[in-house]
Amino acid sequence: LSQSHLKRINPTRPLKPNQAGIKRIVLSTRENPAIQKSTTKPIRTPVNVNQKILVILHSDNGMLDAHARQSIAAAAILADIETAVVVLVLGELREELAEAGADEVRVIPQLDYLHYQPNVELACVDAVIADIEPVRILMPDNFIGDGDLGRRLIAKYSNRTAATQVVEINATQIGCYQKGGSQLGVMQLPDIVLIAADAAESKLPFVGAAVQKDCTNLFQTHLPSDNPILDLGLEKLAASDIALEEADFVISAGNGVNRVDTFMQLAKVLDAAIGASRVAVDDGKFSRDKQIGATGKTVSARAYLAIGISGAVQHLQGIKDCRHVIVINRDNSAPIVKRANLSVIGDAEEVMHALITLVSEAKLNKERTPE
Amino acid sequence: MKKLACLVSVGAHPVSHEARYSRNDGLALGLGLSIANAQNMALEVLHAGNVESPALLDYLALGANNIKVLPVSDDANILDSLVSELNNTDLILLGTRAEFDEDSGLLPYLLAEKLQIPLVNHALDIDLKDGVLEILQFLPKGKRRRIRVTLPAIVTVHPLASIKTNYVFAKKVSGKITSLANAYQATGLAIKQSAWTMQANSRKPNKLKAREHVSAHARMLSAISSESKSGVVVNEGTSVEKAQVILTYLREHYLIDF
């Protein structure tokens, strides 16, 4: 079938009711207007704002991760009609935060988490706090600087109540694991809350106004005269040295990859960690520690490039935390196509070769023309 | 002469919750010992709590020759006692997060604030040269960072630090535990004086969700229509064009830097 030029039709395409209410399989792609849902959500507009909740977070490469979005959503859910949600983003921001539920957005692009400058961060955040006088501060308790900054804030504002690693939060109280995880401690909603991942759902039935407020010159005015901490720069490990669970870019092979050396070459030029589906591992093409899925490893990479993987449920379980899933596959009705953000239907070997050439060229061009 | 101190706490076995050494503090102790050996300095090992705790014997076995114990009753705030003891210390090492009590990971930060000295978190490795510390710091996604700090400083050690610790029974027998004389009175319930009520960890925490007001009609419509979640599907084109689509996608979402 793959050789023929017949276009394949999704065999599991949905039934659609027609005007008379009878369900029919309709081959045309036009959606029935009766079924189309309205996609615009109402804007949450606080009136008579008398208090503000401040959410402080670091962006990662201009984007906010799921954990950061959950913190904003938690603030938006906790906020009543007279409370505004102010989001302070440390580091560059390249996306809209209306969908996330922010009423007001302030960005300090110089305070990226890749530069270690806790004193400047603390001074800038302190200035913002003094400016808006928030009733509550929410932060994600993560490793990209927010957990660190949050604890510094808690230590600084010693008269404010606080809790870290909060796994349960609602309008009246919070809960977090204590005594090595054996007990759940519950207390009244404190002033500073560091939220653990997955304590809140990031899906909201409304959007925020996301008004941008400029505060770019805050950084210059708060540079300290002497800094005891000197950042000597980052050391990036090669992708092959990183544990698969920790990797940011994973490229994985399945049954559709016939030539492993092409795949390895692509992984090398993209500097991606290597994974594999169970079939590829069972065939002896990859070692067992590369297996991704229910019986293998669970990865949480930002980018996941799956080549020749059909996407069995067990495999999809292993990649449920991946933000961007890109697929190269021969079959456009494979289950992984439903999960993917971008699917390329075609021969894996040919596309891999083309990608290797393109990426190598792009790297060469970048070397020749440094910014 | 520089003063070097390591703070150790009572840990809990992950399954039985039996008192034992805290793995993270054990790493901090190992790192402290290696620095003390290299610089020919003495390492002071401090514990605030009960002298009789069996966990302290584990730290002796891990190489602490002499553990000083600040006798603090269980409900006392250990912060004040530690601040007065650590006032002139140049380098304080400790684990990132405790395994007992609140285990909020706040103690090093509160100490740094009280002592007014810089703090560096998540150290994987430390090198001390002429009063200047060079620290390899952990960052997620396979990134590491080098930081230089002038002493005095507090450094918390990351649980992934690759430090070899040896558990030696002979040292467990020969080591000494001394209790400092002055007992501290209870000054507050916990580090941040927050009122906690404890529950057994038996239920799953409830996720915070937004309440949605949807009409029954809308719910029925969403149930009968299958919402397609899939992204862009590229069927047509040559393999080079398809590869270009992938590259463009990676660039658009800042997943690659070339």
Side-chain angles (χ1 to χ4, degrees):
Chain A
L1 191 68
S2 57
Q3 249 79 57
S4 75
H5 294 288
L6 281 174
K7 206 165 179 184
R8 289 195 61 183
I9 299 165
N10 180 6
T12 58
R13 63 197 175 282
L15 297 160
K16 288 176 183 168
N18 63 8
Q19 252 78 27
I22 303 164
K23 280 183 186 170
R24 285 282 155 80
I25 295 168
V26 188
L27 291 181
S28 78
T29 50
R30 224 182 74 229
E31 288 279 318
N32 187 334
I35 297 176
Q36 258 179 5
K37 289 196 291 181
S38 68
T39 46
T40 47
K41 291 177 183 172
I43 299 177
R44 193 188 86 96
T45 34
V47 285
N48 305 331
V49 176
N50 55 16
Q51 55 183 17
K52 287 174 176 174
I53 297 182
L54 178 63
V55 184
I56 308 170
L57 29 86
H58 283 85
S59 65
D60 182 8
N61 213 348
M63 306 287 194
L64 299 189
D65 56 7
H67 192 175
R69 285 171 178 281
Q70 287 159 11
S71 323
I72 304 176
I77 296 169
L78 291 182
D80 57 15
I81 194 67
E82 294 183 340
T83 311
V85 177
V86 183
V87 178
L88 175 64
V89 180
L90 308 179
E92 220 177 321
L93 183 69
R94 294 198 190 110
E95 57 183 349
E96 277 287 319
L97 291 187
E99 190 77 16
D103 294 324
E104 188 187 315
V105 181
R106 300 185 187 208
V107 184
I108 309 178
Q110 297 95 334
L111 293 176
D112 198 287
Y113 85 96
L114 295 177
H115 304 287
Y116 195 60
Q117 38 194 0
N119 300 344
V120 192
E121 263 179 13
L122 200 59
C124 289
V125 168
D126 198 35
V128 174
I129 290 174
D131 180 25
I132 66 173
E133 293 171 347
V135 64
R136 190 154 287 122
I137 299 173
L138 264 70
M139 294 179 77
D141 199 350
N142 59 20
F143 287 112
I144 61 168
D146 299 322
D148 184 45
L149 177 65
R151 287 181 173 82
R152 285 177 201 272
L153 275 179
I154 293 171
K156 186 168 180 165
Y157 295 101
S158 52
N159 54 346
R160 290 219 180 185
T161 52
T164 63
Q165 278 292 334
V166 170
V167 292
E168 187 179 78
I169 180 166
N170 57 40
T172 52
Q173 61 183 33
I174 56 105
C176 48
Y177 291 127
Q178 298 192 354
K179 305 201 188 295
S182 62
Q183 301 223 294
L184 186 74
V186 177
M187 74 179 274
Q188 267 196 342
L189 193 61
D191 300 332
I192 306 176
V193 187
L194 303 195
I195 304 177
D198 293 327
E201 205 157 88
S202 53
K203 216 179 105 205
L204 294 173
F206 52 81
V207 296
V211 182
Q212 292 270 352
K213 276 262 177 81
D214 184 60
C215 54
T216 37
N217 54 358
L218 213 57
F219 179 74
Q220 267 78 27
T221 49
H222 287 91
L223 277 174
S225 49
D226 64 321
N227 202 341
I229 298 174
L230 181 68
D231 191 343
L232 298 179
L234 282 184
E235 277 177 19
K236 205 161 178 275
L237 298 171
S240 48
D241 298 339
I242 308 171
L244 207 47
E245 293 94 333
E246 211 191 311
D248 199 24
F249 194 156
V250 176
I251 164 169
S252 74
N255 201 24
V257 174
N258 295 324
R259 298 190 48 159
V260 178
D261 48 347
T262 320
F263 172 77
M264 291 297 194
Q265 205 186 337
L266 179 61
K268 203 177 162 195
V269 292
L270 280 174
D271 193 28
I274 292 164
S277 75
R278 209 196 77 159
V279 188
V281 171
D282 281 353
D283 285 352
K285 289 175 183 164
F286 299 91
S287 58
R288 186 59 70 186
D289 62 324
K290 299 271 182 268
Q291 188 185 326
I292 293 170
T295 41
K297 286 175 172 165
T298 306
V299 293
S300 56
R302 218 143 44 90
Y304 183 79
L305 178 55
I307 302 172
I309 293 178
S310 64
V313 188
Q314 289 85 347
H315 188 79
L316 295 181
Q317 249 175 51
I319 60 167
K320 68 180 188 321
D321 297 331
C322 294
R323 176 98 181 259
H324 299 280
V325 176
I326 305 167
V327 168
I328 304 174
N329 208 320
R330 194 188 277 281
D331 181 4
N332 67 359
S333 59
I336 200 160
V337 175
K338 283 202 194 77
R339 165 71 177 84
N341 302 88
L342 172 69
S343 319
V344 166
I345 310 301
D347 184 63
E349 185 68 24
E350 281 174 22
V351 179
M352 275 200 288
H353 268 299
L355 200 53
I356 289 169
T357 339
L358 279 179
V359 169
S360 317
E361 274 173 16
K363 276 188 163 175
L364 266 180
N365 280 340
K366 204 208 167 192
E367 268 172 38
R368 278 197 211 120
T369 52
E371 300 149 41
Chain B
M1 185 68 196
K2 297 269 180 223
K3 241 180 108 183
L4 193 63
C6 178
L7 307 186
V8 295
S9 65
V10 178
H13 189 274
V15 178
S16 67
H17 300 299
E18 197 69 14
R20 60 158 202 180
Y21 77 96
S22 146
R23 219 189 74 84
N24 206 174
D25 285 340
L27 291 175
L29 178 64
L31 201 55
L33 284 171
S34 67
I35 292 175
N37 286 341
Q39 305 281 323
N40 218 351
M41 289 155 65
L43 176 71
E44 189 177 46
V45 183
L46 265 180
H47 171 71
N50 191 354
V51 191
E52 251 109 72
S53 174
L56 295 181
L57 297 175
D58 288 339
Y59 288 112
L60 288 180
L62 288 174
N65 292 323
N66 188 356
I67 299 179
K68 274 195 200 170
V69 179
L70 301 164
V72 178
S73 57
D74 280 347
D75 57 347
N77 189 342
I78 61 169
L79 188 64
D80 301 336
S81 54
L82 282 175
V83 166
S84 57
E85 194 60 38
L86 291 170
N87 232 337
N88 300 315
T89 312
D90 294 289
L91 177 59
I92 303 166
L93 290 168
L94 69 168
T96 301
R97 213 176 147 192
E99 294 169 3
F100 74 111
D101 232 19
E102 273 188 45
D103 57 8
S104 57
L106 277 174
L107 179 71
Y109 293 88
L110 295 170
L111 266 179
E113 183 69 25
K114 284 248 172 169
L115 294 169
Q116 284 297 315
I117 57 177
L119 174 142
V120 176
N121 63 338
H122 298 317
L124 290 172
D125 201 8
I126 293 182
D127 198 20
L128 180 61
K129 260 184 214 146
D130 314 321
V132 178
L133 266 184
E134 207 173 294
I135 298 166
L136 183 68
Q137 191 186 37
F138 170 88
L139 282 179
K141 305 281 182 197
K143 294 194 191 84
R144 306 287 181 258
R145 174 158 57 200
R146 287 217 175 269
I147 293 166
R148 195 174 283 162
V149 193
T150 43
L151 294 181
I154 296 182
V155 177
T156 66
V157 178
H158 193 266
L160 287 180
S162 57
I163 296 151
K164 241 180 108 190
T165 49
N166 283 330
Y167 195 96
V168 183
F169 182 74
K171 286 184 179 170
K172 186 175 181 174
V173 179
S174 66
K176 272 185 285 182
I177 299 173
T178 47
S179 176
L180 296 180
N182 47 342
Y184 285 89
Q185 298 304 312
T187 50
L189 276 177
I191 290 178
K192 276 295 281 184
Q193 296 169 12
S194 34
W196 293 99
T197 45
M198 286 302 180
Q199 298 171 355
N201 175 14
S202 52
R203 66 178 174 92
K204 236 177 115 184
N206 296 323
K207 229 177 180 183
L208 180 67
K209 279 181 193 155
R211 208 182 289 159
E212 225 170 326
H213 300 286
V214 192
S215 67
H217 180 69
R219 264 193 294 133
M220 185 198 68
L221 283 183
S222 70
I224 58 169
S225 66
S226 68
E227 197 184 342
S228 127
K229 267 191 260 171
S230 69
V232 185
V233 181
V234 181
N235 279 304
E236 318 292 336
T238 64
S239 55
V240 179
E241 283 163 1
K242 286 170 182 170
Q244 188 61 53
V245 171
I246 296 178
L247 195 61
T248 316
Y249 184 91
L250 291 173
R251 276 191 186 137
E252 263 173 16
H253 294 87
Y254 303 99
L255 300 168
I256 47 173
D257 54 358
F258 43 81

